[in-house]
Amino acid sequence: MKKPCNHPGCRNLIEAGRYCATHASKGSQPGKDYDQTRRKKDPALAAAKRLRSSPAWQRLRRIKLIANPLCEDPSGYHERRGKTATANQVHHIRGLATNPELGLDIENLMSVCARCHAAIERVVRADA
């Protein structure tokens, strides 16, 4: 039984595998260029990952979300719409990779909703 190629927007039908002959090369498969091991290779990113999984961080994160349960709305998105959002994530204002000493400093934390956190990270990544 034939099935569609997994490449976004491709309508070719294939017998086996995930991609048609047109999209079988590595260059045309989305996401294949992303280095999934980069956190292990970069010492700063590995240290940040260790901190995020530590009991001390989990405790501090919980304290921050209890103290500031609403999104701190860094871009004014919720204010412009006249709505509030519950914070479910904690953002390091000065990043862990470049400022590991501020990892457990509550003054360096911001309670944010998922939408605002994604927007902050997009801006940070674009600036890098």
Side-chain angles (χ1 to χ4, degrees):
M1 180 171 168
K2 291 188 174 187
K3 61 181 184 173
C5 172
N6 280 351
H7 187 79
C10 181
R11 296 182 183 192
N12 293 333
L13 296 176
I14 56 174
E15 296 274 343
R18 296 179 59 204
Y19 298 95
C20 66
T22 307
H23 299 112
S25 69
K26 180 182 180 213
S28 60
Q29 292 179 13
K32 286 292 183 179
D33 294 332
Y34 178 74
D35 182 5
Q36 296 181 0
T37 62
R38 76 185 176 90
R39 288 189 187 270
K40 292 179 183 173
K41 293 177 185 175
D42 186 336
L45 293 176
K49 183 178 179 183
R50 278 192 305 277
L51 177 80
R52 284 190 198 98
S53 62
S54 73
W57 165 249
Q58 297 299 323
R59 200 170 27 260
L60 183 61
R61 180 184 180 280
R62 198 170 24 254
I63 289 168
K64 180 64 178 173
L65 289 173
I66 289 169
N68 295 62
L70 298 178
C71 179
E72 293 184 39
D73 196 12
S75 63
Y77 175 80
H78 303 297
E79 184 180 347
R80 286 191 300 274
R81 282 153 183 78
K83 297 181 179 182
T84 58
T86 303
N88 54 8
Q89 298 182 11
V90 176
H91 173 70
H92 283 91
I93 298 166
R94 298 185 66 197
L96 285 177
T98 54
N99 300 287
E101 69 282 1
L102 297 176
L104 296 175
D105 181 0
I106 200 160
E107 298 297 319
N108 186 44
L109 302 177
M110 180 185 302
S111 297
V112 291
C113 66
R115 188 217 166 272
C116 288
H117 200 200
I120 293 168
E121 291 299 320
R122 273 193 302 273
V123 170
V124 170
R125 301 243 189 289
D127 291 345

